[in-house]
Amino acid sequence: MRMRLLLLGGGNLLGQSLIEQGALEGVEFHTPKPPKEGWNPDNLAILLQEVQPNCIINLAYYFDWFQTREVDTAKLSSQINIIEHLAKLCHQQSIILFQPSSYRVFGGTRITAYNEEDEPLPISVLGQALWQMEQIVAEECPKHVLVRFGWLLDYSADGKVGRLIKRAETLPEVQLADDRRGNPTPVDDAARVILGILQQLDCKFELWGTYHYGGMEATSSLAWGQVALAEARNYDKNLTENIIAKPHTDFNDATVEPQYSVLACKKILHTFGIKQRAWRAAIPELFKLFYNHSQTDK
């Protein structure tokens, strides 16, 4: 890798997976520890001066954007400001900016898969913030790559997977929407996609723009949950087997979670040659990591 890569967010699970996969390919990342006060315009400017990167991968707020259920509007507002400063710094110094985004920028009313040309109409505060960040990056930093991911899955105890397991541990039944659809996307697969993009940018290809990626085989929340809990019972026989199908509109998050969020992934295939991988094949390893880490944390 000829580019000097600066990774913000190397300590989270997506960042860790990217570092591990990069090491196997001989790709190194500069991964600074976040300051106690968090990133701000001053310490970012100092960092860029010290590292002089060719490309920044901004995963600094991964958990807030992809795993948490609690949305902090003040925190999002601050993150939008930081993204704007980062994008301007990248433009001034001719640095490539890789910025992750999400299916949440769409409204979820379209039954067919969303492609990159479809107009974002976010229905949640988080979706609106992510769409604003996308616009800022596109306007302020021409040398950018934005990737909207599907339902990102990791093995954190308080992420999407962890919350599902907690419900199955503590409730007599688990209710899941049978008419809410998306692309489950294990975090290791997302890291593979990021690494593949970086390797091609390193070849001096100017492939700027917005791309979509989600795991192969779009599915419902119900079907994903059934597969996940079947695997989880290999580790915990006490999990409820009572899974109840309910319509999307019966859930409290129906007003903020897009009902249909399937992503069309042809552009990323045709541009970078990155093929979708089947999310089902990654489930055993995902839950092995989940239960290994849950035992370690006890």
Side-chain angles (χ1 to χ4, degrees):
M1 181 71 73
R2 290 167 295 184
M3 291 194 302
R4 184 186 295 270
L5 302 174
L6 173 59
L7 173 59
L8 302 179
N12 60 57
L13 293 183
L14 179 53
Q16 289 175 25
S17 182
L18 181 58
I19 292 169
E20 291 169 3
Q21 293 186 42
L24 296 175
E25 299 283 340
V27 178
E28 296 183 358
F29 297 88
H30 184 88
T31 54
K33 186 176 181 180
K36 290 183 179 179
E37 69 274 18
W39 294 113
N40 60 47
D42 292 336
N43 55 39
L44 278 174
I46 293 171
L47 177 65
L48 266 59
Q49 185 177 18
E50 292 176 348
V51 178
Q52 296 186 355
N54 303 110
C55 178
I56 296 176
I57 303 94
N58 180 27
L59 307 182
Y61 310 115
Y62 161 77
F63 189 84
D64 292 341
W65 297 348
F66 297 107
Q67 296 300 320
T68 187
R69 196 166 187 170
E70 304 297 326
V71 176
D72 187 327
T73 54
K75 187 182 290 187
L76 282 175
S77 179
S78 174
Q79 291 169 359
I80 290 171
N81 291 333
I82 295 302
I83 298 301
E84 183 173 6
H85 284 287
L86 180 62
K88 288 180 178 178
L89 285 170
C90 287
H91 179 43
Q92 292 166 5
Q93 301 179 35
S94 193
I95 298 170
I96 300 167
L97 177 57
F98 179 97
Q99 179 73 19
S101 190
S102 167
Y103 68 90
R104 291 181 179 276
V105 300
F106 295 113
T109 57
R110 177 173 173 167
I111 297 176
T112 55
Y114 285 98
N115 60 48
E116 291 82 355
E117 286 71 43
D118 289 322
E119 182 183 3
L121 293 169
I123 59 175
S124 67
V125 171
L126 177 55
Q128 291 164 3
L130 289 170
W131 174 225
Q132 187 175 349
M133 292 175 200
E134 285 191 21
Q135 292 173 293
I136 289 170
V137 168
E139 292 170 2
E140 300 292 346
C141 181
K143 295 171 64 174
H144 70 271
V145 174
L146 284 156
V147 178
R148 296 171 180 151
F149 287 107
W151 299 342
L152 278 178
L153 310 173
D154 67 24
Y155 53 87
S156 58
D158 45 359
K160 292 179 183 292
V161 172
R163 291 196 298 272
L164 176 65
I165 298 301
K166 190 67 175 180
R167 288 159 61 193
E169 288 175 341
T170 58
L171 299 175
E173 65 180 32
V174 172
Q175 298 181 359
L176 294 167
D178 58 357
D179 59 348
R180 180 183 294 179
R181 294 182 61 78
N183 302 89
T185 310
V187 71
D188 286 350
D189 193 22
R192 173 187 69 91
V193 170
I194 297 172
L195 184 61
I197 290 172
L198 295 175
Q199 288 172 321
Q200 296 204 42
L201 294 178
D202 191 51
C203 297
K204 307 298 183 182
F205 295 138
E206 296 187 354
L207 305 172
W208 322 131
T210 300
Y211 300 88
H212 287 176
Y213 185 81
M216 186 171 65
E217 188 193 346
T219 191
S220 67
S221 291
L222 175 65
W224 135 247
Q226 289 171 329
V227 171
L229 291 177
E231 183 65 31
R233 289 190 200 98
N234 292 327
Y235 300 89
D236 186 350
K237 303 297 184 184
N238 296 319
L239 297 179
T240 183
E241 296 186 24
N242 194 13
I243 303 175
I244 307 298
K246 293 278 188 177
H248 168 81
T249 52
D250 279 7
F251 291 86
N252 293 332
D253 66 350
T255 58
V256 296
E257 179 69 23
Q259 181 174 3
Y260 301 109
S261 56
V262 177
L263 300 177
C265 303
K266 290 183 179 179
K267 183 180 177 183
I268 201 167
L269 171 63
H270 294 158
T271 306
F272 294 103
I274 293 174
K275 298 179 180 180
Q276 291 174 275
R277 284 190 178 173
W279 60 267
R280 291 174 185 266
I283 293 301
E285 181 64 19
L286 179 66
F287 279 86
K288 177 182 177 181
L289 290 169
F290 178 85
Y291 279 99
N292 283 348
H293 281 265
S294 66
Q295 291 298 321
T296 302
D297 293 340
K298 288 182 180 179

